[in-house]
Each structure stands twice: as structure tokens, then as C-alpha cells.
Amino acid sequence: MHENVKVIAMDLDGTLTQHKTPLSPEHRAVLTELSKRYTLLMVGAGQVMRIFNQLRNFPIDIIGNYGMQYGVYNAKTQEIDIKRDIVAHCNKERITEKINALRETYGYTEYAGETVEFHPSGCVTFPILGTKAKQEDKLAFDPDRVKRRKIYEDVVNTFSDYCVFVGGSSSFDMAPKPYDKFYALDVYCRENGYAHSEVVYIGDDYGLGGNDEAVYKSDFCYITIDNYLDFPQKVSELLK
């Protein structure tokens, strides 16, 4: 597989680190070895600078917000230069109405804080337990994602102009179409002259509604990972 590979693209949380946890020295060492042979690319759901900070400023180009942001590592300054930062229009009133209707339908009418979270990019989060829910309540709500996957199709149909993902531990994340990780990776390939066959993607969120699912179902070569601690073993073949 690795003989034709030029780019290794990867997710962050759950793939390379624990959720919102800084990159470990052990995994940084693995990335350093990979970078000697391949171009490395981070493909994230969050903002570029948040990802860069979580990576402890590791020298890597970063796609953020499902492709709405793109940052290139500057070796001279050792910082990220933002090359693309798209902001989409968001009809907040209409989105709020739709989310409240879903709450009424499925009985999620009690929540802490706001009913919806609007991001500067135009992305949206539907936090089922509300924006101010306690962390322990969020973690206990739907650890196997069964509750959210039961209503996933309805959420997708309700927000037909968004790419909808089962996000975090108790929410749905939405990015304006066509932005998802497959679209972002395809744009990257076209802009940089790579064929899909020259890219390997590594991700953990490849199930129904996962934000890596679109890549998993595509023609990109995909390495599945279910525990970020397995990352060194998962990429060992690429270092032979």
C-alpha cells in the first residue's frame, strides 16, 4: 500500500490524541518519523489554530472546519499561515426553530443554557443537553451513540442544506454543504496535484454519522483506528 503513498492525512481527537488532549511526546516522535517520508496533513472539524495548539505547534499543514479553513505551516516563523477562512451565512432564527421542533418531537425539551450553538464559521452545533450542560451529564448521555443514531436520519432531513455529524458525546455538529472531510481532502488533492490513490487517511469516527464517514466510504485508502494509543502500531507498515 505505502509504495505509492505521498500524503498521510489524519484526524486528531480519538485518532492521534485523546479528545482535546495535547499531543504526547511518543506520538510526536511517530509523526516526526512519518514526516521524513511523507507529506502530513491534519483534517479537522475544529478551527485550525485550536488544532495547531493541541498539536503543540507540530510542523504540519491543517485543514479546519471541514475545509472552510486551511492553514500552511511556515517553517521560518514556526507558525501557521491561514490561507483560507470561509464564513458562511447562517439563518439563526430558522435554525433555532428547526432545533426546537426536533426537541419537541423527541422529548429533549429540558436543557441547560442555549438550545443551539452558532460558530463564527457558520457551522452549527445542536447540543441536546444544552450549551451549559455539565460534563458528567454529557458523557453519560449517549456513550455508544445509539440515542443520536436513532434520530440521525431525521436531523439530516431537517437540515438538508448541511452536512450533519454525530458529534462529541451529546450533540450533532453541522457544516454548510458541501463541507465535509471528503470534500476538504478532495479539494486539497486538486489544489496540490495529488491523486486520491496517493493519499492515506487515518481516522476513528467512521461509523454512521461520524465526521470521518465520508472519507471512509470514498475511494481514499483508509486506516481505521479505534483507540488513539494504537496509532504507532497502525502506521508501522508505512515506516517499513
Side-chain angles (χ1 to χ4, degrees):
M1 174 190 70
H2 58 282
E3 292 178 358
N4 299 319
V5 173
K6 295 181 179 178
V7 178
I8 298 177
M10 67 200 86
D11 173 52
L12 180 57
D13 288 344
T15 297
L16 191 58
T17 68
Q18 264 188 320
H19 184 64
K20 294 186 178 180
T21 301
L23 180 68
S24 69
E26 295 79 11
H27 285 185
R28 185 185 185 94
V30 176
L31 288 183
T32 298
E33 288 303 308
L34 288 170
S35 69
K36 295 175 182 179
R37 301 192 188 188
Y38 309 97
T39 296
L40 302 186
L41 176 69
M42 188 61 57
V43 187
Q47 293 185 335
V48 165
M49 290 311 302
R50 184 193 71 76
I51 295 170
F52 186 58
N53 291 334
Q54 189 176 339
L55 288 169
R56 298 181 185 269
N57 296 20
F58 184 84
I60 191 171
D61 294 348
I62 302 171
I63 293 172
N65 292 343
Y66 302 103
M68 299 177 74
Q69 273 193 335
Y70 177 48
V72 174
Y73 183 76
N74 186 324
K76 291 183 179 180
T77 64
Q78 298 184 344
E79 294 290 342
I80 289 285
D81 295 334
I82 301 297
K83 300 296 185 180
R84 179 164 56 243
D85 192 5
I86 296 169
V87 176
H89 170 72
C90 185
N91 188 332
K92 295 182 178 180
E93 182 177 352
R94 184 64 181 134
I95 288 170
T96 301
E97 289 175 356
K98 288 182 176 182
I99 285 178
N100 286 338
L102 286 167
R103 289 188 180 280
E104 290 289 339
T105 299
Y106 294 103
Y108 294 124
T109 53
E110 294 186 9
Y111 53 90
E114 301 297 325
T115 187
V116 58
E117 181 178 2
F118 297 102
H119 301 280
S121 61
C123 292
V124 178
T125 296
F126 170 15
I128 294 176
L129 301 183
T131 57
K132 300 294 185 182
K134 296 179 180 178
Q135 184 67 12
E136 58 266 30
D137 292 339
K138 292 193 289 186
L139 292 173
F141 173 71
D142 189 26
D144 54 8
R145 302 190 172 192
V146 170
K147 293 179 181 177
R148 283 170 292 167
R149 283 176 174 157
K150 283 183 179 178
I151 69 172
Y152 175 70
E153 185 176 352
D154 198 1
V155 178
V156 168
N157 291 334
T158 299
F159 292 97
S160 58
D161 48 346
Y162 283 81
C163 296
V164 179
F165 314 101
V166 179
S169 54
S170 59
S171 62
F172 291 98
D173 293 329
M174 298 180 283
K177 286 183 175 178
Y179 295 101
D180 63 16
K181 289 188 177 182
F182 169 79
Y183 177 81
L185 198 50
D186 179 62
V187 169
Y188 173 86
C189 287
R190 286 188 274 114
E191 289 180 343
N192 292 277
Y194 293 112
H196 287 197
S197 59
E198 295 175 314
V199 179
V200 168
Y201 184 85
I202 309 169
D204 70 306
D205 201 6
Y206 53 89
L208 178 66
N211 65 34
D212 298 319
E213 182 190 15
V215 183
Y216 179 70
K217 289 184 172 181
S218 74
D219 61 336
F220 284 107
C221 184
Y222 191 109
I223 297 176
T224 61
I225 186 166
D226 297 307
N227 185 330
Y228 79 99
L229 294 174
D230 295 335
F231 184 82
Q233 181 269 324
K234 288 286 187 176
V235 301
S236 59
E237 284 293 321
L238 294 163
L239 289 171
K240 289 182 179 178

